[in-house]
Amino acid sequence: MQDGVVTLDHKSVYRPSEEVIARARIKDWDALSAYAAENPLAFWAERAEELEWFKRWDQVLDDSNKPFFKWFVGGKFNIVHNALDRHLTTWRRNKVAYIWQGEDFSERMIAYGELHREVSKFANVLKSLGVQKGDRVTIYMGRVIELPVAMLACARIGAVHSVVYGGFSVEALRGRIADSQSKIVVTCDGAYVNGKVVELKQIVDDALKPGDLPVEKVIVYRRTGREIGWVEGRDHWWHDLMAQASPNCPVEVMDAEDPLFILYTSGSTGKPKALLHTHGGYAVYTYTTLRYVFDVQDEDRYWCAADPGWITGHSYIVYAPLMNGVTSIMYEGGPSYPAPDRWWSIVEQYRVSILYCAPTAIRGFMRFGEEWPRKHDMSSLRLLGSVGEPINPEAWLWFYHNVGGGRCPIMDTWWQTETGGFMITPLPVVPLKPGSATRPFFGIKAEVVDDAGNPVKPNEEGYLTITVPWPGMARTIYGDPDRYVQTYWARYPGRYFTGDSARVDEDGYFWIIGRVDDVLKVSGYRLGTAEVESALVSHPAVAEAAAIGLPHEVRGNAIYTYVILRAGYEGTPELAEELRQHVAKVMGPIARPERVEFVTRLPKTRSGKIMRRVLKARALGLPEGDLTTLEE
Ligand code: WT7
């Protein structure tokens, strides 16, 4: 047996090796956890001290207006100063910030000093187009280095970025631009994914076509060089603007509580919510969680394979790695393009030491077989991570053995767009149980409760709640504070309600079960059933629609839809296919339903709400449960 290789099965507990413990930054989990539980404000203040402040805070936490908590009140800060400027006076000025590989195998590396220069220039570009502190800027780009550059440039001057995932399409983009009232959109001429080009600029043009949005300027980064449409006066090439821009742009001095970004995520209504995060608390929280959980060191090559357009990318591709001075890998394209070992070839080529990805990707790779990872030398890996949905023990063990070579602990991190950073997560020194995200992070208290809000017994399923504030928490829903209170704080007064169910075992380990609201996780992406339904209803043939998620081996959830047609339409297989494509076109390919079934009625409550749980039970052949509220 190779040194340090430990084979595990479903029932095993992984115990960190002496080597893992020896190199870990935090060796005594229990001691620090007890300290943070007793002195949370001191714990967070000490973490904040590790960053640079223009002016120190007067108060660590202001909880006088619950649930609108404020952190590091009175502090003057800018996250970009900590992500970039602070490194310029050290050797890290010359350290590589991002190693980038295009899907076409092209390669770029950018050092901290150069990234600072690009960000400063683009910040000046934004200023020259009239962007001011507090203005929203929509960023809709492929996975290129210019995406973090655009985000950081906004934050540098105090503008609020709203990144829209490049896999979303016309209506999803349009709705997000409208809600944020962005005057500027930053995009690419296209993006390479799975050997195809996603026509990002065309989608922007379509979204803006009705002419009713406040967008004045569209900045286009050239990636593919293909022919695109152009609106004179509105559209500008990134490279033209950058050629004129000065590299000197002072960082805007922000209040700790000033907004940093908004990020839309799906909830239980058709209208996505814009979660708002701030400069100070978000910085302290993401900086600390990455540092402790992935234990990032200067010699690491860290790869978070998420998309920068989701919270995972915001926190753990852009802000936290840069604040920690880490070298990150960024890969543009599809995971199995041109062959199922693309990721493993990247790990081998760049000697990646930390790989953080989603269970759906792992399950996809499992299907291709273990011969693909076996082709590559992945001995550089020392830590693995998982996020986005529960990782089933089979996928955990496959990842552990075939990617980690039986040497690397897996950090299964449970968290949400709303939480800003990891909430329930191991550290390298924590014993692991395959499928459990283990225990709450330092300073976090989580509790599983029943309908009435009473804690449940060990191993009983209930609702996952958080009982303390933490610096990385979203501050509100942009433009809709009432909805923030209603969605997260009204169900269990004094607690943050996560929308997930979970159980806690006899060792205090948390096992996340899944969403209990109308939110689906499809391939780790968060979608609302109501969004899919409204996309269907926007087709002329559809009178009413219902969407549910059913278990899917690779994607976690597959979207099944039930459609009532308008008079005069016939439910043919061709129409079903047309409706699937219609959803992909308006919402994005990730929302394309697995199946469209035509029905004449939908189960509804007397007040007219679709009873999705009844549809789900029927589809799965399960008992339909309490039907007393069913209208017919
Ligand atoms: C939902 C949040 C947080 C980054 C990506 C997702 C599910 C997330 C885990 C995990 C089990 C997980 C939950 C959560 N989820 N991580 N490690 N184990 N479930 O962010 O899109 O806001 O989704 O993802 O259901 O509520 P998001």
Side-chain angles (χ1 to χ4, degrees), residues 377-451:
D377 172 6
M378 295 201 276
S379 58
S380 56
L381 287 170
R382 68 177 186 92
L383 275 180
L384 303 175
S386 167
V387 63
E389 55 182 315
I391 179 164
N392 46 311
E394 294 70 28
W396 196 104
L397 290 164
W398 192 91
F399 194 31
Y400 173 80
H401 288 119
N402 295 291
V403 179
R407 293 174 299 103
C408 310
I410 300 175
M411 304 298 105
D412 177 1
T413 60
W414 176 88
W415 58 294
Q416 309 177 302
T417 305
E418 292 86 345
T419 71
F422 311 149
M423 295 292 282
I424 299 178
T425 175
L427 260 59
V429 296
V430 169
L432 305 173
K433 301 184 188 189
S436 167
T438 76
R439 293 175 290 196
F441 188 71
F442 307 127
I444 303 299
K445 282 193 187 126
E447 224 166 42
V448 176
V449 299
D450 63 17
D451 270 318

Side-chain angles (χ1 to χ4, degrees), residues 148-196:
V149 169
M151 292 164 70
L152 293 158
C154 289
R156 186 169 191 85
I157 60 172
V160 178
H161 57 72
S162 167
V163 181
V164 178
Y165 169 58
F168 276 130
S169 199
V170 181
E171 283 310 313
L173 174 64
R174 196 178 141 68
R176 285 157 176 79
I177 296 173
D179 186 76
S180 64
Q181 292 288 298
S182 298
K183 283 182 283 195
I184 308 267
V185 174
V186 188
T187 189
C188 298
D189 58 350
Y192 292 114
V193 183
N194 294 319
K196 296 187 220 96

Side-chain angles (χ1 to χ4, degrees), residues 490-506:
R491 182 153 164 180
Y492 301 111
R495 293 163 185 267
Y496 168 78
F497 174 53
T498 63
D500 278 333
S501 62
R503 62 183 181 85
V504 182
D505 71 14
E506 53 289 349

